[in-house]
Amino acid sequence: MDTITIKDIAKALHLSTSTVSRALRNSYEINAETKRLVMEYAEKMNYRPNPIALSLRDSKSKSIGVIIPEIANNFFSQLINGIESIAYDSGYHVVIFQSHESYEREVANTNYLVSRKVDGLLVSLSSLTTNLWHFEDLINRGLPIVFLDRVPKEVETHKVVADNYAGSYEATEHLIRSGRRRIAHLTSPIYLSITSERLAGYKQALEDNGIQFDEAYVKYCDHGGKVTSENEKAVREMLDLPEPPDAIFTASDRLTTGCMSVLHQRHIRIPEEIAIVGFTNIGVADLLHPPLTAVVQPALEMGQQGVELLIRLIEHPNKAGDFETRSLKTSLVIRESSAGKIRRE
């Protein structure tokens, strides 16, 4: 059946399109009998408002653009679930794009979403984004933007993050208490916010426990198309050190699973020879060999709070007030990959 329009209703009832439009909006300008006729006919013919037409009338698209590095990452898929759960209930559609860790693709995605007149953007920066002009320009022109997880320090707007410092500190201290002293850190590109925050927590835990920080035990890995080879190279360099690590703390899903793969290839026993703790939201962490100790981020809640802040900016642009940076607590789930060992002093 063809979609019925306001024009079709007007023609069938011998009314003007403006009268039908006002009747459907329950306007006080239209008498009760005319409203009844229009509403009954619209229901009978299964009339549904055209969202594009409504957005043109209201100057709102009722859509939100989301740009994330990759949907395949469990953290980001959980983030999207949180975004959609609130957006849908608030009457907004969600349009999702992946940057695939590419700055150029991030810019192209942003430009396309703006051309489609989304009401606002939720963004987690790509690992290769160092220039923020495309977001700064849009914010200066009045487009609401909220950043999630990977956030820029320089841009003034709402941001929602996990408490990366505390999560990293807790993970590193757990490894120390399990008997490890040579703890390596496999992490993201150095200019990402999550990298500096997790590195700071790692360093502080070492210092507070009397362990000297050694730059040789820290490797920064690209998250782009060559992530597997970068990861493998970084882990092998650590393993080939004169004093190889007895524990590795990894900063993301892909780095964690990649690291475990290299250790298995080298026939290195986990945790007997090297313990592992990872920042990861993968749902099968307890099914890995061995089950993985993980710092888990509240991804669902981060998405929910991010979209709530964005909708507030969209619907009340003159009441934005001071911008917030919300930091949500992580949790450390201890499993066999970081089991303790006998200390030999």
Side-chain angles (χ1 to χ4, degrees), residues 41 46-47 54 58 64 68 71 81-82 88 95 106 115 134 141 144 151 178 184 250 277 288 293 297 309 324 333 335:
Y41 187 80
N46 197 31
Y47 167 76
L54 287 175
D58 298 334
I64 291 169
I68 58 171
I71 295 174
N81 286 340
Y88 180 81
V95 185
E106 180 181 274
S115 75
H134 50 306
R141 287 160 50 191
V151 303
S178 73
T250 57
V277 175
L288 297 175
T293 295
Q297 302 169 85
L309 290 169
E324 299 180 49
V333 181
R335 300 189 180 94

Side-chain angles (χ1 to χ4, degrees), residues 2-20:
D2 293 337
T3 303
I4 187 171
T5 67
I6 287 177
K7 287 183 179 180
D8 297 327
I9 297 173
K11 183 177 180 180
L13 298 179
H14 304 290
L15 298 171
S16 68
T17 55
S18 60
T19 297
V20 172

